[in-house]
Amino acid sequence: MYEPMNDCRPDKHMISHLTNQVQIVQSRGSRGLRLAGAAATALSFPASQIFEYSPAEFSLVATMKIARLRPKTNEYILSVVEEGSDSLLLGLRVSENHLHFLVTPPGVVRRSRLSFKDIGLDDNHWHTVVLAVTGPYATLTVDCGLPLDKQVQSFPATLSTRGSRFFIGSRRRWRGRFSGLLRQLVLLPGSDATHRLCPISDPSLAELSVPQILKSTLLHADQQGPVYPYEAEARVTLGNPPACSRPEQGQLWFNAQRKGLFICDGLAWQTLLQKKERLDYVEDYQDLYTSSETFSVEVFSIPSEGLFMAAANRGSRPGSGIYKWRDGLFRLHQNISTQEARAWKHFTIEDKIFLVVANSREVEPELSVIYRWNWRRRRFLRYQTLETYAAQDWEAFNIYNHSFLVVANHWRGKEEADKFNLNTLWLFEVNQTLSTSGAYDWEFFTIGPYHFLAVANTFDGRTTSISSTVYVWLDGCFQTFQNIPTVGATDWEMFQIDGRFFLAVANSQKISDSGPSLYSINSTVYELNTFTQTFIRFQDVLTHSAVDWEFFTIGEESFLVVANSHDGNLYSLNSVVYRWQGYEGFVPVHSLLTFGCRDWEHFSTDEGSFLIYSSATSRLSKVFKLKTY
């Protein structure tokens, strides 16, 4: 792991002791060492075994692989610490996108820190760095690239290490322990050692002194059979799922609690093997009292922060609440001033996280607001306002790496829906306007290479028996694909089962100027016919002023739950969970007593699977737990 400066190598006993404290891990085709569960002091030895005085010129060479580090996290690759005072004499430390070289000159209380910024070492890829110190200058070379030069403010000509210890992968303490893989760590006298490594065909794995045990592969050729060059870094957890992004693609994760094996596809964890769960029953789990009636809820996750829920509340004071899942319950995290909020939509653009609210108070000009997550304050802050007209819903989507927002404007004086796209200033501007009739909901979905938008039209001023429209993206804009007859449509839900594509519409009420209003009417599930290239009626379901459908899965079973809100007399009604039964369609399996139910959201945590509904007639929203066997 290192090359001593005075040619005095550690004895065999010490090498054996160090070997017992590490694990050999193969990742991305190469082996590295990971610190095991031993105490931090186990991977240390007297610094005098390497040098008694540091030379004026030396180089540090390290090959490492580090996963993404959280903000304000620091991990030590190596350190030299005085045993008596625990003072740091010398250290090499990595943090988010930074590398720091630390040194405490003799007789100086405050240590000097030399930082190299924006070097991207914590991206879960192998990197070889060479830090060369020559007199008052330091040079950093990453993967044989262009050197970065810094002037050392107060590095001593000689640094005594008597009575100090050398630590690999720590600073004696547990805090700051190195969590990545280390392939080589070389400390040698003399000027810049870059010329001894570069050029090379694979500079990220440039080799100067790699232990022999790390040069062999974990799988050896078997002359009696084929070679399977598979590799994966497997993780076992009981807590939250590990990160899954492009650097983790191909990694395995075993969830011990859910008894499932998953693989990262670069975006999300996909099931390989899992115990088949079946829905047994639904139980009350949490009574959630909001500041006022709640028209809808939006459940979403923020990386490294956890699960959140945004409630669209009627009242403007204190407004709408943002709740965070803590200790198995939703607890208030933030209040945001809103104006009769009807819906929230969460979306991300690159690594930026946003929430947009649909404000529906009929004043001019009416403004809906986009909020952006502030990582430092851990709050959503106002980002941009957009002019809307009794907005009922937002939908966010991407087409060919372009980001869009579409709003459902409900007000009859502006029966249009505006589609916004992101400009070069990171602000949304109007991109396209679509004619609608009392628009209530948008649903974006993709089938094969085609992108669709479905609008739920509710009322044209005379009747609710009107058509809602499915649009398809062609020639850089949305064009009509199909008009579907609906009755006071309030929601579209698109889902896929066994390669079949479905659209479910929630029909709320039948109103016309020639007869009484009807609330108990059919809502309809449509299926895409690939031969006619149209959505055709698949199943009618009797609902009671339905305002929302939510599709979810438990194990290999598929379900729909409907929000029944009113039957003409009562708001206290049973909302129904339906199970998919193949060509029999959806059959009712559970009835849940709800009060003015307006919206359903399904979500999963380590505690299990849940449903939450919002109430537009009371301050009480409820969380149900889906019990499985």
Side-chain angles (χ1 to χ4, degrees), residues 392-538:
Q392 301 295 308
D393 180 56
W394 284 99
E395 184 73 316
F397 53 92
N398 288 281
I399 299 178
Y400 305 132
N401 294 322
H402 293 281
S403 298
F404 296 93
L405 284 174
V406 61
V407 63
N409 286 322
H410 187 71
W411 184 38
R412 287 187 297 170
K414 177 72 172 179
E415 290 181 352
E416 297 173 339
D418 290 328
K419 180 165 67 68
F420 302 84
N421 75 306
L422 195 66
N423 62 25
T424 56
L425 299 177
W426 279 81
L427 295 175
F428 284 93
E429 60 185 5
V430 176
N431 174 266
Q432 182 183 359
T433 298
L434 299 170
S435 179
T436 55
S437 297
Y440 211 91
D441 176 70
W442 283 104
E443 178 83 346
F444 175 80
F445 56 95
T446 298
I447 299 177
Y450 299 103
H451 306 286
F452 297 89
L453 261 181
V455 64
N457 287 325
T458 306
F459 188 59
D460 66 359
R462 292 179 51 256
T463 179
T464 57
S465 298
I466 56 178
S467 292
S468 294
T469 305
V470 179
Y471 299 89
V472 63
W473 178 268
L474 292 174
D475 300 325
C477 65
F478 282 103
Q479 303 180 27
T480 299
F481 174 77
Q482 183 181 354
N483 290 310
I484 300 177
T486 54
V487 186
T490 53
D491 178 64
W492 284 106
E493 180 80 352
M494 188 274 174
F495 53 93
Q496 181 181 353
I497 301 176
D498 298 330
R500 300 165 65 183
F501 298 92
F502 298 90
L503 266 179
V505 64
N507 288 324
S508 63
Q509 55 184 309
K510 186 175 183 178
I511 299 177
S512 67
D513 52 11
S514 60
S517 298
L518 299 177
Y519 297 90
S520 296
I521 57 177
N522 284 333
S523 293
T524 304
V525 179
Y526 296 87
E527 181 179 4
L528 179 65
N529 186 308
T530 56
F531 296 102
T532 64
Q533 294 187 347
T534 56
F535 286 96
I536 61 175
R537 185 186 302 269
F538 173 78

Side-chain angles (χ1 to χ4, degrees), residues 69-70 72-75 93-100 119 121-122:
L69 295 175
R70 294 183 178 182
K72 299 182 181 180
T73 296
N74 292 289
E75 296 185 354
R93 190 176 73 188
V94 64
S95 63
E96 185 184 29
N97 215 22
H98 290 62
L99 185 72
H100 311 279
I119 55 175
L121 295 179
D122 58 328

Side-chain angles (χ1 to χ4, degrees), residues 25-35 62-69 75 77 94 120-129 143 178-184 204-205 231-235 246-251:
V25 178
Q26 181 166 318
S27 181
R28 298 187 181 274
S30 299
R31 279 179 157 189
L33 299 180
R34 170 177 289 157
L35 302 188
T63 299
M64 68 196 88
K65 176 177 168 291
I66 312 170
R68 183 71 64 186
L69 295 175
E75 296 185 354
I77 300 170
V94 64
L121 295 179
D122 58 328
D123 60 358
N124 215 31
H125 287 77
W126 287 104
H127 293 289
T128 296
V129 299
D143 299 337
F178 187 67
S179 63
L181 300 180
L182 202 56
R183 182 168 172 82
Q184 72 175 338
S204 64
L205 292 168
E231 62 174 59
E233 185 175 338
R235 302 183 181 186
R246 184 165 296 179
E248 289 82 28
Q249 186 171 1
Q251 289 190 5

Side-chain angles (χ1 to χ4, degrees), residues 175-214:
R175 185 176 180 182
R177 187 173 176 143
F178 187 67
S179 63
L181 300 180
L182 202 56
R183 182 168 172 82
Q184 72 175 338
L185 180 59
V186 184
L187 178 63
L188 68 164
S191 58
D192 194 348
T194 306
H195 68 279
R196 297 178 57 177
L197 290 86
C198 306
I200 189 174
S201 58
D202 189 357
S204 64
L205 292 168
E207 181 178 322
L208 184 62
S209 179
V210 176
Q212 189 61 40
I213 194 172
L214 298 182

